[in-house]
Amino acid sequence: MDPVVPKRPCPSADPSSSFDASSSPSRVPSGPMAMDRVLEALLALPDPSVALELSLESLIDSRLLESDKDRLIEGAMEAGSALLEAARRSARRRASKHNFSSWPLASDLTIKVFSKLDTQSLCHAAATCSMFNKCATDPMCYANIDLTAEVPKVNNTVVSTMIQRAGKNLQSLKLGIRPSPASATELCRPLSYSTRNPMDTSGLSWSQKRPRQGRETSLLTRSCLLALSVDGGAAGTLLRSLHLYNIDKMDNSALCTALSACPYLLDLEVVGLHVELKRTLDAVSSNCHCIERLLFESSDTGRDDSLNSATCIDLVNGCPNIVSLALRGFKLHDHKVRILVKGSRHLKFVDFSTSYSITGTFLRNLSGGTNAHPLEVLILRDCLHLKEVEVSHLFSAMLVGDFKLLRYLDISNKDGLSAENDWNYRCYNPCTQLISLVLKQRPELCLLAKFPPEGSLIDIDLIADSEISSGTSSLMLYNLAFDSYLTNSSENSYSSDQGSGNEDVPDLNFPYDEDIFFDELEFL
Amino acid sequence: MARTIKFRSSDGEVFDVEEAVAMESQTMKHVIEDDCADGGITLYNVTSDILVKVIEYCKKHVDAAVGSFIKALGGVDKDLESWDGEFVNVDLAIQVDISNASNSLNIEGLLDLTTRVIADNIRGRSHKRSVRSSTLKMSSRPRMRNGFGRRTPGRS
């Protein structure tokens, strides 16, 4: 039986060719008009399943040969599935037509709307109907591909498909597992590894300061960035921004290969990958000469001390446009860091949080001559070996006019600052007078200097109010609102109040007998 | 001396719009610069209620740009932002119409604002929703294979 209804000719039917279905039950209907009538009769059945079954049974009974019976049954199955397929196709066609006519936005406007969606929602949209699919697979929507998630669900195929879809519009790519922002209670539950099944990690949050105890393994392998290198690196050449988070299986050579395919990269973030800092920086300095922003966070805090002076020199020479540099959780030495900070002419933003071995000596005599050092933001949070004496030097330098452009400084440390000779001795109340002087002179400066109360080992994130309690608490916070409209006179009065308040504080709050600390106060 | 230009909506209402305000629309800017605007401009695809909103937006943004130097300093005008937020706090149907109008009139800021709002509406949704008065039935399957879903036949 021929299940397909062919395109019918003009409806004026030749009456001689009309076929009466009831007269001869065993004759095959000929002509499309006849087929229409048969189908119409079939669809008009009030209770098709019962009627059809009875009819089929009686037909089968009327056949004498077994082979005829089998052929009838096969025919019925074919006809049934053919009708089902035809009906489904018609439904899709109708739905598409309905969608096209009822969707109120023009397709170019729809594409503009979709280009504002994040990648996940874009995939949802592409899955809804063929019209949305056409709009959602337009290259304009894939300029910024963000495939990060808290739970692993993206594999290499997805990455390469997205990159392909982006075509010439590719600008930025973000991949990997991004931990949820650290909550006030910084829990860190060890997780069992699972390569296949994504686990529910809701409620898990971990601090960026601590080494990760356990984490979800990403589904991405070391070849996930291969799509950037294919076709002579066509996709890589377009890429301006690349962010990679916690891709366990990524290794040095794969990352370096990917970087070599991105010569015009402006912004690179590498967080929690098991790669060596030196090798990555070497790859950056030899390939990405336009780079402006670098952020590296170690997967193993304090262990990676691969950075050497040669790499720093290469980086400074190979990448003259660096504006922002963040190296968190590595073992950094002052003379190496000094090369980086002094040698980069445009460096405005520096973040060496949770670095080991860095004492702060690199800050001495940084701005030389008439040119003010361009540094605007300096973050040295939780650097275990950061010395209090070096911080004093920094404040003194600022008081005589160095670091004119510095507007944000963070020296908070949950373990206090290191004393001069032995980093086992900690200062929890450093440079109080210097701080108040600096704040008076530089009211636009935003200074974060959070330290725990003396002797306490708990990491406290509380914000103290402006009245310092006369008790034993030596927690002080100077946190001005960091806003671009920072010439508010009310802000000035706040900071000078702080200043005047704190003149008294050192006498009240000194829990220490350490002579070394008293000596510091004579620095002015 | 502010020149005013007459705009006629598709349903025949006439609006007098200052030239500076009209120039917010790139399309109209070209028409005005080519000196074709003297007899008034008829917008065949924009109804009067939508045209009112569009003109309101353009006027607000022209006034804000003249009065403040905050934008010149690279800052963000928070008052204008909150005004924008209130402006799009309307029915989705009206938003869509404004979006269409801003697309054809090529008003960049308004287009950006409205598409962003519509995108916010679509984002995160995985069930049937209605747009305008007609129902666009979308059966979106959240279940995804390899990160992107299969095309599902829309049910009419």
Side-chain angles (χ1 to χ4, degrees):
Chain A
M1 266 173 67
D2 181 10
V4 176
V5 178
K7 278 213 161 72
R8 63 180 95 158
C10 177
S12 55
D14 189 351
S16 58
S17 71
S18 72
F19 171 76
D20 191 355
S22 55
S23 60
S24 176
S26 57
R27 243 211 289 168
V28 176
S30 60
M33 292 286 286
M35 193 60 232
D36 287 355
R37 279 205 246 127
V38 168
L39 195 55
E40 216 173 323
L42 180 63
L43 296 175
L45 289 171
D47 192 1
S49 52
V50 173
L52 284 172
E53 195 165 337
L54 290 174
S55 262
L56 189 60
E57 280 303 315
S58 66
L59 271 181
I60 291 172
D61 287 339
S62 70
R63 297 288 188 271
L64 302 164
L65 293 173
E66 284 304 310
S67 56
D68 281 344
K69 292 191 206 266
D70 289 337
R71 223 177 302 134
L72 257 182
I73 292 178
E74 266 174 40
M77 285 190 188
E78 271 180 41
S81 60
L83 187 58
L84 182 62
E85 267 314 300
R88 282 195 175 141
R89 242 178 274 133
S90 293
R92 281 198 288 266
R93 241 176 276 136
R94 269 207 75 207
S96 265
K97 227 169 97 175
H98 169 89
N99 284 350
F100 269 108
S101 59
S102 63
W103 182 246
L105 293 175
S107 65
D108 63 331
L109 198 51
T110 313
I111 293 173
K112 283 197 183 107
V113 170
F114 284 174
S115 63
K116 298 213 156 53
L117 286 177
D118 57 294
T119 317
Q120 168 83 64
S121 306
L122 201 55
C123 293
H124 276 293
T128 48
C129 62
S130 46
M131 184 197 64
F132 267 28
N133 189 281
K134 219 165 77 166
C135 293
T137 49
D138 188 275
M140 250 187 70
C141 305
Y142 292 90
N144 301 305
I145 301 175
D146 185 351
L147 291 168
T148 56
E150 289 175 24
V151 163
K153 47 183 171 176
V154 170
N155 64 12
N156 296 4
T157 324
V158 179
V159 179
S160 49
T161 313
M162 297 286 146
I163 291 177
Q164 250 180 8
R165 281 187 189 171
K168 292 205 188 71
N169 289 64
L170 182 63
Q171 277 180 16
S172 81
L173 178 62
K174 294 186 190 170
L175 289 180
I177 313 279
R178 224 181 196 165
S180 50
S183 57
T185 61
E186 289 165 356
L187 303 168
C188 192
R189 268 186 271 141
L191 295 168
S192 58
Y193 282 82
S194 163
T195 50
R196 281 283 159 216
N197 308 316
M199 266 169 50
D200 182 23
T201 54
S202 57
L204 176 80
S205 60
W206 55 69
S207 160
Q208 282 186 337
K209 304 171 207 165
R210 297 186 204 166
R212 295 187 184 86
Q213 301 294 319
R215 51 186 180 270
E216 282 302 304
T217 52
S218 169
L219 289 174
L220 298 163
T221 69
R222 59 185 299 276
S223 341
C224 60
L225 294 173
L226 267 186
L228 293 172
S229 316
V230 295
D231 277 345
T237 337
L238 301 160
L239 204 61
R240 295 286 172 271
S241 168
L242 179 62
H243 292 199
L244 303 170
Y245 303 96
N246 300 313
I247 304 173
D248 292 345
K249 301 188 186 79
M250 181 65 73
D251 62 3
N252 285 309
S253 52
L255 183 58
C256 295
T257 314
L259 288 173
S260 63
C262 307
Y264 302 108
L265 201 63
L266 293 175
D267 168 20
L268 177 64
E269 258 189 51
V270 172
V271 171
L273 266 58
H274 304 306
V275 291
E276 216 182 47
L277 181 63
K278 170 179 155 30
R279 279 191 67 176
T280 318
L281 286 179
D282 282 338
V284 170
S285 46
S286 34
N287 295 298
C288 312
H289 300 291
C290 308
I291 198 110
E292 292 178 10
R293 181 175 173 265
L294 281 175
L295 189 149
F296 291 99
E297 196 172 302
S298 172
S299 57
D300 206 1
T301 311
R303 302 269 164 80
D304 185 335
D305 67 346
S306 56
L307 187 66
N308 60 13
S309 308
T311 307
C312 296
I313 294 173
D314 285 341
L315 187 65
V316 164
N317 289 333
C319 306
N321 298 330
I322 292 185
V323 172
S324 165
L325 179 64
L327 300 173
R328 297 198 203 139
F330 297 97
K331 213 169 187 180
L332 300 174
H333 295 109
D334 286 277
H335 60 280
K336 299 171 190 167
V337 162
R338 198 181 163 74
I339 299 173
L340 291 172
V341 178
K342 191 149 190 185
S344 308
R345 259 177 288 139
H346 304 287
L347 192 59
K348 288 192 193 165
F349 180 105
V350 165
D351 180 358
F352 294 139
S353 305
T354 55
S355 301
Y356 280 55
S357 306
I358 199 173
T359 62
T361 331
F362 74 96
L363 292 166
R364 296 207 190 197
N365 303 320
L366 257 188
S367 37
T370 48
N371 299 332
H373 199 273
L375 199 61
E376 291 181 21
V377 174
L378 178 60
I379 302 177
L380 295 168
R381 210 181 165 96
D382 291 331
C383 292
L384 191 60
H385 302 105
L386 183 64
K387 286 191 185 163
E388 205 246 346
V389 60
E390 299 300 335
V391 173
S392 305
H393 270 292
L394 175 64
F395 284 131
S396 313
M398 283 170 66
L399 284 171
V400 297
D402 277 351
F403 297 107
K404 272 202 196 64
L405 298 170
L406 194 67
R407 53 185 170 87
Y408 185 97
L409 176 60
D410 185 355
I411 48 165
S412 308
N413 199 317
K414 63 185 194 312
D415 297 311
L417 292 182
S418 163
E420 169 77 68
N421 298 324
D422 186 352
W423 66 271
N424 283 309
Y425 287 100
R426 314 300 297 180
C427 309
Y428 296 96
N429 208 349
C431 318
T432 45
Q433 278 200 336
L434 276 175
I435 288 177
S436 53
L437 279 169
V438 167
L439 279 177
K440 255 205 226 147
Q441 204 193 67
R442 303 261 287 257
E444 78 287 356
L445 178 71
C446 177
L447 171 61
L448 285 172
K450 287 195 278 189
F451 304 100
E454 182 262 321
S456 137
L457 297 172
I458 308 166
D459 182 8
I460 294 179
D461 270 308
L462 301 168
I463 296 176
D465 37 80
S466 48
E467 287 90 39
I468 310 289
S469 60
S470 56
T472 52
S473 164
S474 49
L475 180 69
M476 293 190 290
L477 177 69
Y478 306 78
N479 196 350
L480 306 171
F482 189 46
D483 202 327
S484 42
Y485 300 127
L486 260 193
T487 46
N488 214 336
S489 54
S490 60
E491 302 287 347
N492 291 353
S493 59
Y494 173 80
S495 63
S496 52
D497 281 344
Q498 278 286 57
S500 54
N502 285 331
E503 247 89 88
D504 308 323
V505 161
D507 300 323
L508 290 171
N509 285 348
F510 260 109
Y512 274 103
D513 296 338
E514 310 235 290
D515 293 338
I516 205 160
F517 197 50
F518 278 102
D519 287 346
E520 250 56 79
L521 289 177
E522 282 153 29
F523 264 106
L524 266 176
Chain B
M1 226 152 17
R3 203 158 72 103
T4 58
I5 306 191
K6 286 198 187 327
F7 280 96
R8 209 170 295 115
S9 69
S10 60
D11 44 352
E13 260 192 70
V14 178
F15 298 88
D16 277 322
V17 180
E18 280 173 25
E19 185 176 323
V21 173
M23 301 273 259
E24 285 280 296
S25 153
Q26 293 298 310
T27 323
M28 292 299 114
K29 184 162 176 261
H30 294 318
V31 169
I32 294 169
E33 281 169 355
D34 290 344
D35 276 336
C36 301
D38 295 332
I41 302 173
T42 310
L43 301 168
Y44 292 102
N45 54 353
V46 186
T47 55
S48 51
D49 53 343
I50 302 298
L51 190 53
V52 160
K53 295 278 287 180
V54 170
I55 292 172
E56 190 189 333
Y57 176 92
C58 293
K59 193 162 190 331
K60 176 74 182 179
H61 276 245
V62 163
D63 289 343
V66 163
S68 86
F69 48 86
I70 290 174
K71 229 177 177 177
L73 291 177
V76 163
D77 190 343
K78 297 204 170 86
D79 289 331
L80 194 59
E81 260 189 22
S82 57
W83 188 91
D84 281 350
E86 275 308 303
F87 181 78
V88 286
N89 195 5
V90 289
D91 262 356
L92 193 54
I94 302 180
Q95 270 172 32
V96 165
D97 286 337
I98 298 178
S99 195
N100 273 320
S102 58
N103 192 28
S104 57
L105 289 171
N106 201 347
I107 305 171
E108 199 183 311
L110 185 57
L111 185 61
D112 193 57
L113 181 64
T114 47
T115 49
R116 217 183 326 132
V117 171
I118 298 174
D120 287 341
N121 240 294
I122 297 179
R123 190 173 299 136
R125 296 245 198 174
S126 57
H127 50 270
K128 295 180 187 176
R129 48 178 286 255
S130 35
V131 177
R132 220 180 191 174
S133 48
S134 67
T135 43
L136 176 71
K137 295 202 166 99
M138 302 196 296
S139 63
S140 162
R141 299 240 193 103
R143 160 170 61 96
M144 287 192 169
R145 203 187 287 156
N146 292 337
F148 54 98
R150 288 170 294 171
R151 275 177 39 184
T152 62
R155 295 198 299 269
S156 59

